Amino acid sequence: IEVCHPDETGAFSPAAYQQVVELTAWLCRTFDLDPDTDVIRHYDVTGKICPKYYVENEDAWLAFREDVSARIEEDNAASGETN
């Protein structure tokens, strides 16, 4: 997923962050992916500093994946599904 960021830190805007969490959660649900093991950064495959903010801020990367998991749980609860 390509996400634009407003400055050199590489951090996403709050709106972009929420959209990428929502899209990633949808992809995980649709393709039966686990955010903890299946959602990776370009960096994890190529070593490229991408996405910059999440390479330089590992805690933020872990929080992102937790937010994706939480969104999946919210979506499941809203649709009456269980894991």
Side-chain angles (χ1 to χ4, degrees):
I1 300 170
E2 187 69 33
V3 181
C4 294
H5 50 84
D7 60 34
E8 67 281 347
T9 68
F12 303 154
S13 70
Y17 182 83
Q18 289 306 313
Q19 289 295 307
V20 78
V21 166
E22 182 178 325
L23 176 58
T24 304
W26 178 83
L27 288 166
C28 287
R29 288 188 68 211
T30 301
F31 296 104
D32 195 30
L33 303 172
D34 180 347
D36 292 331
T37 57
D38 298 324
V39 176
I40 60 173
R41 305 164 291 188
H42 294 153
Y43 174 79
D44 299 319
V45 177
T46 67
K48 179 181 179 185
I49 306 300
C50 182
K52 181 181 192 280
Y53 184 76
Y54 293 110
V55 172
E56 294 177 349
N57 299 279
E58 186 72 22
D59 289 343
W61 173 242
L62 298 174
F64 170 76
R65 294 195 315 189
E66 289 173 6
D67 288 344
V68 170
S69 293
R71 178 60 190 250
I72 292 168
E73 289 179 23
E74 290 170 16
D75 291 345
N76 287 344
S79 67
E81 295 180 29
T82 59
N83 285 341

